[in-house]
Amino acid sequence: EVDWFSLISVISLLCFAPFIVFFFVMACDQYQCSVTQPLFDLVQGKTTLLSIWARAPSFTWSAAKIYAVWVTFQVFLYMCVPDVVHKVIPGYAGGVQDGARTPAGLINKYEINGLQSWIITHVLWAVNAHSLHWFPPTIIFDHWIPLMWCANILGYTVSTFAFIKAHHFPTNAEDCKFTGNIFYNFMMGIEFNPRIGKWFDFKLFFNGRPGIVAWTLINLSYMAKQQELYGQVSNSMILVNVLQALYVLDFFWNEAWYLKTIDICHDHFGWYLGWGDCVWLPYLYTLQGLYLVYHPVQLTNIQALAVLSLGLAGYYIFRSTNRQKDLFRRTEGACSIWGRKPTYIECSYRSSDGGVHRSKLMTSGFWGVARHFNYTGDLMGSLAYCAACGFGHVLPYFYIVYMTILLVHRCVRDEHRCSSKYGKDWTRYTDAVPYRLIPGLF
């Protein structure tokens, strides 16, 4: 059942999330990235919503062709180019991998080739920029708003298709979740793992491609535009590119591990993931680079070092925390964490097929510091992206505000699910590790 608060939240997001994306992109396009000036102009009668809308670039067939080629190419890499990177790079887990057990007790197989797709895409981008010159490296920025309409079309199309598919031809009916509320079902999804054929998995493709592969290309396009406009690239733009590229590469290097995360293990596929991965992620996660095109910021050496240190420290905590959990899971606790044998809480739970399973919740290392200390590192990195833009405008800081809300909500949502799953064992775990994100505070 869906409570009233959840229903109101879902309807609000469905109604306002697309306009939030449009607002930030429009603010940069028409108001030099000021988020307050358009509001003041509306209140003072200097402009109207219709005039703002009329000034925004509209859908173009040129952008549609660019976007269609982009998505088709990523589908081709995902479906038709089996991973070979894991055969040549030691330590990388690619190729066919098992996912986590679904609520119905199934274990899906995935073709992990995200890192390979990222490498191929960026090599071709570099070759074009330096030799072929089929298109300018600023192509993404130059078509940014028309591409947004194309991304919306894909996001809504995929979400609607997934909704219809879940009702009429689900991949696995036992893993479908019907709440009885059409708005909640459309947004949060019904099918757990919608697939076409054996290998095209909607969640893995849209979570990782085309949005995250595009993330670093979008930043490179911003960098090229800054070079074109000002004759140089600021150190803040370089920092944003480097720190966010580190995050993206980490995602693809650990794509097999990602199969065990909340997005794949627990979320169903609906508008939240379908539209969010097509529109929200590429347009709002890259606001720092977009801002720096309009407002180049040259940091002092000390400022740049501080931002870089914060970003690298956040990445270290994020990656080390996740690595500890992965090592603990793979060895079932027969490992060393910070030079000691890890401690844990032994738990049991029952899947929907009636089977009883056992699990261990680690209370050592970073997981003994806080229950979601990986999110703490993620927030530190997010703050570094924003701080690289200086303090001239609010817009670049939307990302840290959003990530804080998202990750705190994930903490609460994850713990509610774990409490239902593990019962008294979860209470024992929270007694052993009392803080969620920040020791001594939260």
Side-chain angles (χ1 to χ4, degrees), residues 274-380:
W275 179 87
D277 291 326
C278 290
V279 182
W280 187 273
L281 188 156
Y283 276 83
L284 295 189
Y285 285 25
T286 62
L287 279 177
Q288 291 77 35
L290 180 64
Y291 171 82
L292 291 171
V293 173
Y294 292 90
H295 297 277
V297 174
Q298 188 66 25
L299 301 172
T300 65
N301 291 337
I302 294 177
Q303 291 171 333
L305 181 60
V307 169
L308 180 62
S309 300
L310 176 63
L312 293 179
Y315 173 74
Y316 173 78
I317 292 173
F318 169 78
R319 176 46 42 215
S320 298
T321 306
N322 287 326
R323 186 178 292 113
Q324 286 179 0
K325 175 184 277 190
D326 184 57
L327 176 63
F328 180 81
R329 281 177 171 172
R330 285 189 289 105
T331 62
E332 296 186 352
C335 60
S336 176
I337 302 294
W338 287 355
R340 301 178 182 176
K341 184 178 180 180
T343 58
Y344 55 86
I345 303 293
E346 188 88 34
C347 303
S348 63
Y349 66 95
R350 187 181 298 273
S351 59
S352 62
D353 62 359
V356 177
H357 309 277
R358 304 197 70 81
S359 183
K360 297 179 177 71
L361 299 177
M362 184 168 55
T363 58
S364 291
F366 283 121
W367 294 98
V369 176
R371 300 196 292 269
H372 304 275
F373 208 57
N374 54 333
Y375 291 170
T376 305
D378 207 355
L379 289 173
M380 291 170 64

Side-chain angles (χ1 to χ4, degrees), residues 102-107 166 169-178 190-193 268 351-354:
T102 72
L106 300 176
I107 296 179
F169 47 100
T171 303
N172 180 26
E174 293 181 358
D175 270 326
C176 289
K177 179 182 68 176
F178 294 91
I190 299 171
E191 273 203 86
F192 192 69
N193 288 111
H268 291 242
S351 59
S352 62
D353 62 359

Side-chain angles (χ1 to χ4, degrees), residues 188-251:
M188 299 307 297
I190 299 171
E191 273 203 86
F192 192 69
N193 288 111
R195 290 188 167 202
I196 294 178
K198 183 179 179 180
W199 294 108
F200 189 86
D201 185 90
F202 278 62
K203 272 203 292 190
L204 184 62
F205 178 78
F206 284 101
N207 268 320
R209 281 72 58 80
I212 296 185
V213 173
W215 189 342
T216 40
L217 290 185
I218 293 167
N219 281 341
L220 288 173
S221 185
Y222 291 156
M223 181 184 288
K225 194 65 180 182
Q226 196 182 71
Q227 174 68 38
E228 178 185 289
L229 291 174
Y230 310 105
Q232 61 181 3
V233 176
S234 66
N235 59 3
S236 55
M237 179 69 86
I238 295 173
L239 277 171
V240 167
N241 270 262
V242 169
L243 291 176
Q244 293 188 349
L246 180 64
Y247 180 90
V248 170
L249 282 171
D250 177 89
F251 173 87

Side-chain angles (χ1 to χ4, degrees), residues 38-58:
L39 301 177
F40 288 148
D41 285 357
L42 286 169
V43 171
Q44 296 170 3
K46 295 180 179 179
T47 190
T48 64
L49 291 175
L50 288 177
S51 63
I52 290 176
W53 180 265
R55 291 197 299 270
S58 59

